[in-house]
Amino acid sequence: MKVVTSSKGNVQTQNMPEPSCSDNYVIVENIYSAISPGTEMLIINRSKEVEQALVLGYSSAGIVREAGAGVDKLRVGQRVACYGAPFVRHAEKIAVPKNLAVPLPDHVDIREAAFVAHGTIAIHALRQSDLRFGETAVVVGLGILGQLLCQIASAAGFRVIGFDLLPERCDQLRASGAGWACADAEELAEAIKERSEGAGADAVFVCAGGKAGGLIDQALTWLRDRGKVVIVGDVKAEFDRNRLFSKEAQVLISRAGGPGRYDPVYEGGGVDYPIGYVRWTEGRNMSEYVRLLADGKVRIGSMITSSFPIEDAASAYEKFMSDPRGQLGVLLSYERIPAEVGV
């Protein structure tokens, strides 16, 4: 089967053996998988320093073809959204633990479902902030993750302000109706003052990437007293202690999709956390993203800018590098009979 990998910094599509089905796993035939440029570009760069090829991808949607013993909530032939490396990848078939695949209602667009990782990460970031209804959220960086975070925060009843230096990204947020959009810091400061009634933002979500530093310090100036900065993107985690101290602010990190992520017992072993002790696990956050899609609270269709067949995966990554302003949501597609995919 075809799998997308990176070797010595070069993306390629190569053939690998098909996965086998184990207990508590399902075999999923991918229809679409979504590229996450920030994370995947880091992996591509890391592949320059290692001998073996590194597999890319961690978010997809497809059809269950096999189900192992212990799988009770998924069935063969069902459409599902899947999240989480190393199980989920850009590949024709993947072996996915039962806690990392969630069923899709018939009317949900499978292309939008393929961005389940991004939606789940956005949901967990919001949970980390512990915002309450009516509070003000500032989202810095309006890529696909930041856009989704804005839409989900708006659906939850928060006052949302997005910030990105690219006017195109701000236009996208305005078109979605999910928040106020600002393209420069001065405009953002005024928007925060107006939307928060002069108090400052309750939380600032840093979805932008970069190693230059200074972004967290800037975020601290936008906060109210005892507000929170939530680091979602790959940003340099340096800040001025006095600035933090003056507001008794909190700087938090959001680790991927929620409790269960990177736990081999939860993910690989298929052992769920009791809901009475862990209300929102990684898998339950995935289901919540799908519910928002099903209810029309989140819409991604207008953010899907490109789709490439898996055989041409290298071109998809080249497009990100050559035209970063023009790319937002990029999919890899896998040839299937149209009647199977439900779109």
Side-chain angles (χ1 to χ4, degrees), residues 69-134:
V71 176
D72 55 359
K73 296 181 180 179
L74 303 169
R75 66 179 188 277
V76 172
Q78 190 172 35
R79 300 190 315 156
V80 291
C82 309
Y83 161 46
F87 314 102
V88 181
R89 50 181 62 184
H90 300 310
E92 290 184 295
K93 286 187 177 181
I94 52 177
V96 186
K98 65 180 183 182
N99 285 338
L100 302 185
V102 295
L104 301 177
D106 291 341
H107 67 282
V108 169
D109 188 330
I110 200 165
R111 297 171 303 162
E112 296 188 322
F115 291 93
V116 63
H118 308 74
T120 303
I121 290 166
I123 287 170
H124 180 57
L126 281 168
R127 297 200 195 285
Q128 286 291 85
S129 72
D130 197 29
L131 284 177
R132 297 293 195 268
F133 176 83

Side-chain angles (χ1 to χ4, degrees), residues 33 178 204 309 311 328:
S33 58
V204 176
E311 295 85 356
L328 194 56

Side-chain angles (χ1 to χ4, degrees), residues 35 43 45-46 54 57 81 101 131 133 141 165 178 191 199 221 226 273-274 292 308 341:
I35 292 177
I43 296 172
N45 287 331
R46 192 164 73 239
L54 302 179
L131 284 177
F133 176 83
L165 297 177
T221 67
R226 297 189 177 186
Y273 300 154
L292 290 170
F308 295 81
V341 304

